[in-house]
Amino acid sequence: MKALIIEQNGEPSEVVHWRDLPEPTPGPAEVRVRMLMAPVHPSDLHIIRGRFARQRQPVLPASPGTEGVGIIDAVGSDVPHTRVGERVVLLDVPGTWREQVISPAARAIPVPAAISDEDAAQALINPMTAWAMTMSEHQLQRGDWLVQSAAGSTVGRLVLQIAKAQGVHTINLVRRAEQVAEIQKLGGDIVLCTADESWPEQLVKATDGKGIVCAIDCVAGRTGATLARQLAPNGRLLVYGALSSHRQTDPAAFEMPVFAPALIYSSAEVRGWLIFSWLARKGLDESSQALRNLLDSIAVGCLKPPATERYSVDRAFEAFTAAESTAHDAKPLLVFAQR
Ligand SMILES: NC(=O)c1ccc[n+]([C@@H]2O[C@H](COP(=O)([O-])OP(=O)(O)OC[C@H]3O[C@@H](n4cnc5c(N)ncnc54)[C@H](OP(=O)(O)O)[C@@H]3O)[C@@H](O)[C@H]2O)c1
């Protein structure tokens, strides 16, 4: 079997190679999954560059890839043989950019027939992040307001769908003026463009001067710092990404200057958020149930992952470039096999 492999960290176009590997055999409680597709997420490129959370950097050589869809083609001795042929998504099984992946059987979650391979391939990281931050962490209720940055991102668009379904109002930040109308059309109640220098004042106005109660931010830097400064008493900002630092090498680019008095006097909270820590905190039973619920929502059309573009493995480098290009409107998917 073949796998996309990194032997050292560096630029994805230089260090990712398509290598031959021995066919893996599942252990007693494991399954082997013939991978169909896996997405290219910003975090995958971080891992390749060696810039992700230290505890999540794989020991090299390793395959990148944090999720994907495939078909079980072999099972270990403790796993019912009836699972062979089942289409599954993998729940926190790293290293999915390969033709065959070994997974604990309990982490191979069946996919309802109504879901396309494209939607299934990206059902975990971004949908779970959007759902967990809004409904589990912020526990948003009908009528609440949420502020989010990078509203045009995959996560942002999923958050908009969840908010609309739950009757939650949103204030959305985008960086390009042409995205304002698009996000309004997707149900964003208020959309501000950070290219407009007066956006912080517009944000104050949008909260009626009361400040932000709940926010999620994946831009960090000045954008995240501005959100932190405008937190209401006991307001809470979850920082889950740092897009403004991507591709940067200057250490200052990784900082998010928080205005201390605003935090102190409002007893507000700025907290980092990572899906893998959340999944670990919840444990396998709860997190696999949460994934099954998301798959059910996708199956009945209540949640729709954004558009995708397929890339065969020989076009993997194009997929990496697309994943980081400005105004890309589709999530790149690496295709390892056809059904
Ligand atoms: N902490 C976690 O567990 C977790 C889980 C999932 C995702 N994330 C993070 O969430 C972020 C979004 O992921 P995704 O898969 O949804 O991304 P995506 O679909 O690739 O979208 C990226 C979006 O971010 C915008 N953007 C890029 N650089 C920006 C910058 N410097 N300032 C403002 N906006 C910027 C882009 O705007 P344009 O359209 O203008 O290019 C685009 O709308 C990433 O940082 C990712 O690592 C974190």
Side-chain angles (χ1 to χ4, degrees):
M1 74 112 178
K2 296 193 89 156
L4 287 170
I5 292 282
I6 47 170
E7 283 140 5
Q8 61 187 61
N9 294 120
E11 268 313 292
S13 59
E14 290 162 19
V15 300
V16 178
H17 302 288
W18 188 226
R19 297 273 196 245
D20 280 310
L21 291 177
E23 190 168 270
T25 308
E30 293 175 333
V31 297
R32 188 177 66 201
V33 179
R34 183 171 67 86
M35 293 304 292
L36 299 172
M37 309 177 184
V40 178
H41 288 309
S43 54
D44 298 317
L45 303 177
H46 281 342
I47 287 172
I48 295 168
R49 294 191 176 105
R51 287 171 58 161
F52 202 62
R54 200 168 299 151
Q55 69 276 20
R56 296 288 303 189
Q57 282 294 148
V59 175
L60 303 185
S63 288
T66 33
E67 67 175 320
V69 64
I71 310 250
I72 295 179
D73 73 352
V75 295
S77 52
D78 295 348
V79 182
H81 203 264
T82 48
R83 291 205 67 183
V84 172
E86 202 172 85
R87 189 169 60 129
V88 293
V89 291
L90 299 174
L91 174 59
D92 196 9
V93 179
T96 54
W97 291 2
R98 42 174 64 204
E99 288 178 332
Q100 291 175 327
V101 171
I102 297 294
S103 165
R107 291 189 174 277
I109 309 296
V111 180
I115 301 183
S116 68
D117 290 338
E118 283 82 356
D119 286 352
Q122 49 166 342
L124 173 67
I125 302 290
N126 287 334
M128 190 74 94
T129 293
W131 179 83
M133 288 194 301
T134 52
M135 305 314 294
S136 171
E137 298 287 9
H138 276 312
Q139 302 196 354
L140 293 168
Q141 307 281 331
R142 182 166 291 278
D144 285 348
W145 281 84
L146 173 76
V147 180
Q148 69 162 338
S149 60
S153 66
T154 308
V155 175
R157 287 163 195 262
L158 289 158
V159 164
L160 280 168
Q161 293 176 44
I162 293 166
K164 210 169 156 192
Q166 301 295 329
V168 168
H169 306 295
T170 55
I171 299 174
N172 302 273
L173 306 182
V174 293
R175 66 172 171 179
R176 289 180 291 117
E178 57 269 34
Q179 266 191 316
V180 171
E182 193 188 341
I183 300 302
Q184 281 169 338
K185 213 166 152 197
L186 292 175
D189 295 283
I190 296 173
V191 188
L192 307 178
C193 179
T194 55
D196 181 338
E197 274 178 20
S198 68
W199 77 266
E201 292 77 45
Q202 294 173 33
L203 182 57
V204 173
K205 224 168 130 194
T207 64
D208 285 335
K210 294 182 183 132
I212 299 166
V213 178
C214 296
I216 56 174
D217 169 46
C218 65
V219 174
R222 295 273 3 147
T223 301
T226 303
L227 295 181
R229 189 166 180 161
Q230 293 203 16
L231 284 169
N234 299 308
R236 192 150 69 117
L237 166 66
L238 301 177
V239 181
Y240 71 101
L243 285 164
S244 60
S245 72
H246 284 209
R247 317 298 305 274
Q248 306 286 323
T249 47
D250 176 4
F254 297 84
E255 289 177 4
M256 179 174 140
V258 172
F259 186 68
L263 275 194
I264 299 162
Y265 300 137
S266 64
S267 301
E269 190 188 340
V270 177
R271 218 185 79 198
W273 196 88
L274 184 65
I275 184 172
F276 305 112
S277 312
W278 186 86
L279 292 171
R281 263 199 324 274
K282 293 296 163 189
L284 184 55
D285 285 351
E286 200 175 329
S287 51
S288 58
Q289 189 54 53
L291 179 54
R292 283 169 208 270
N293 294 344
L294 284 173
L295 287 165
D296 287 344
S297 298
I298 295 171
V300 296
C302 291
L303 196 62
K304 176 73 189 145
T308 55
E309 185 163 358
R310 290 165 165 241
Y311 291 84
S312 53
V313 173
D314 58 340
R315 294 178 59 221
F317 294 171
E318 286 175 53
F320 304 156
T321 305
E324 289 185 314
S325 61
T326 300
H328 65 271
D329 53 5
K331 177 64 71 180
L333 289 182
L334 296 170
V335 179
F336 294 94
Q338 305 288 347
R339 269 222 269 175

